[in-house]
Amino acid sequence: METGGPLAGFRVLELAGLAPGPFAGMMLADHGAEVLRVDRVAAVTDKPRREVMDRGKRSIGLDLKSPEGVAAFLELARHADAVIEVFRPGVAERLGIGPADLHAVNERLVYGRLTGWGQDGPLAPRAGHDIDYVAVSGVLSQLGRAGEKPTPPINILGDFAGGGLMLAYGILLALLERERTGRGRVVDAAMVDGAAVLFSMFYSLTQSGFWGPRGTNLLDGGAPMYDTYETKDGGFMAVGALEPQFWGELVARLDVPDMPDQDPRNWPAIRERLTEAFKTRTRAEWEAVFADSDACVSPVLDMAEAPDHPHNVARGTFVEIGGLAQAAPAPRLLGAATGDLAPATRLDDLTAWGLPDDTATRLRAQGVLA
């Protein structure tokens, strides 16, 4: 068994920002990277940070609007493998910590930039949120029920999947390339780009004529065999019985006679029959009915229930760290350890990052470092 995780030995500077940046840092820290979060001075305390996405990290406060703070950051970057930067385009350059500034002191550095719109294009300087990025990528147009307006999802698709996860992936790509070239690279991770590439299959299906308007398709709630149904006690069951063998298993377990076949012309009648059937028992009763089945039927668990589900318990899908239940690192590299999952704490000794104790003491006395 290896110790420290597959990214042990890699150092990452994470400039504090909203959720997608810390998520990228968490993904790297989970697998052993040494991630140092750089906050504002006023944001740093001696208490461990209870934010889940800061697990496994160390943190400092640094005044990046002062020449001394910028000089200290450049020294930290000299000893880093990667930087996570989440500012609007041009902000890092104005602070003196843009890619050119950092590559001047460390040509091997991978400079990861995460924005909503990217580093160029007409929208690059504009503000935005997840809903805007998934809207412009075309993704939002496909989310929601037929005949209803598009439904904004929780900010998973743009911020986290299209943003933070893509940034972590891009940093790893650049680190792999560095093994051949010896030089770092700038990673331009834009949430609008990430959301668009996540939707690759559906662009293909649309252009091939196999994907129709929102809420009328096989995987978007249009098909009754791929939807959720309320139970007798107000719970819900998720049904994904698409293939004929799974559909046959579902019908048999429901014990509904004369169920129409899956022809789209029968979808309204099928939905009505499924709705009526699931209302006859509680969620727990249906869980028992489908427990050993290949009907692709599962209970819809809330966030308090999910950590206690037998499968999640057996897999160790969730862990408790610092009193907070949270998802364990993923994906798993079998046989390899993960990184330190403890809550983030302040890093006082920065000598390994190139700042001698006397320099750190002086910067703290000046209020530049915390």
Side-chain angles (χ1 to χ4, degrees):
M1 171 78 74
E2 298 178 8
T3 59
L7 296 181
F10 287 97
R11 287 179 172 169
V12 180
L13 283 173
E14 178 193 305
L15 288 159
L18 297 178
F23 181 70
M26 183 196 79
M27 294 295 291
L28 300 175
D30 278 353
H31 294 285
E34 181 182 350
V35 179
L36 180 60
R37 178 183 169 96
V38 180
D39 273 297
R40 292 177 294 106
V41 171
V44 176
T45 69
D46 291 323
K47 296 180 180 180
R49 296 176 61 95
R50 286 177 58 81
E51 166 58 57
V52 167
M53 290 182 294
D54 284 338
R55 69 188 184 195
K57 303 175 185 177
R58 301 295 179 265
S59 68
I60 60 170
L62 198 59
D63 182 3
L64 293 175
K65 294 184 178 180
S66 71
E68 296 86 356
V70 170
F73 188 82
L74 291 175
E75 189 59 39
L76 298 175
R78 190 190 304 275
H79 296 79
D81 294 287
V83 166
I84 292 174
E85 180 255 290
V86 292
F87 304 142
R88 287 201 206 187
V91 171
E93 284 81 356
R94 290 196 293 273
L95 290 172
I97 58 171
D101 304 300
L102 270 56
H103 282 150
V105 301
N106 182 359
E107 68 174 7
R108 290 175 54 81
L109 185 77
V110 172
Y111 196 107
R113 315 194 81 167
L114 178 61
T115 59
W117 302 116
Q119 297 299 314
D120 54 19
L123 292 176
R126 302 277 76 85
H129 280 296
D130 180 284
I131 190 172
D132 303 299
Y133 313 137
V134 298
V136 172
S137 69
V139 173
L140 184 56
S141 70
Q142 296 300 304
L143 305 180
R145 294 288 183 178
E148 298 181 6
K149 63 182 182 178
T151 302
I154 297 174
N155 62 324
I156 293 175
L157 291 177
D159 282 357
F160 292 99
L165 189 59
M166 290 292 181
L167 175 62
Y169 175 55
I171 287 173
L172 293 177
L173 291 177
L175 287 172
L176 281 171
E177 182 190 48
R178 191 183 71 176
E179 295 300 305
R180 298 194 308 273
T181 67
R183 298 179 63 86
R185 178 179 293 279
V186 177
V187 178
D188 177 5
M191 298 175 201
V192 65
D193 299 345
V197 79
L198 288 170
F199 236 53
S200 296
M201 183 180 84
F202 302 99
Y203 276 108
S204 175
L205 290 174
T206 298
Q207 294 172 71
S208 301
F210 291 105
W211 195 261
R214 175 176 61 255
T216 65
N217 302 283
L218 199 62
L219 301 173
D220 62 2
M225 65 286 297
Y226 199 87
D227 207 344
T228 59
Y229 292 92
E230 188 174 2
T231 59
K232 185 177 181 179
D233 57 345
F236 290 89
M237 298 296 287
V239 174
L242 296 177
E243 293 82 358
Q245 67 272 29
F246 302 149
W247 173 248
E249 177 76 6
L250 170 69
V251 173
R253 296 278 177 144
L254 286 175
D255 192 23
V256 178
D258 302 321
M259 176 71 82
D261 64 37
Q262 291 177 291
D263 188 301
R265 291 171 295 184
N266 295 329
W267 284 3
I270 292 173
R271 191 182 305 278
E272 183 177 352
R273 300 295 297 278
L274 292 178
T275 299
E276 293 173 351
F278 277 104
K279 278 288 190 73
T280 62
R281 301 190 189 189
T282 66
R283 195 189 75 181
E285 290 172 331
W286 284 122
E287 286 184 69
V289 168
F290 290 102
D292 60 347
S293 165
D294 271 348
C296 302
V297 177
S298 304
V300 178
L301 305 179
D302 63 32
M303 287 186 288
E305 296 174 303
D308 296 325
H309 188 276
H311 183 80
N312 294 334
V313 171
R315 289 272 302 169
T317 301
F318 293 88
V319 294
E320 185 173 305
I321 303 168
L324 297 177
Q326 53 201 268
R332 305 178 187 193
L333 276 67
L334 299 184
T338 58
D340 178 11
L341 301 183
T345 55
R346 190 171 77 175
L347 181 62
D348 292 319
D349 184 359
L350 290 165
T351 54
W353 285 84
L355 285 185
D357 286 338
D358 57 345
T359 302
T361 299
R362 175 174 54 81
L363 293 177
R364 290 190 180 100
Q366 295 173 342
V368 174
L369 175 67

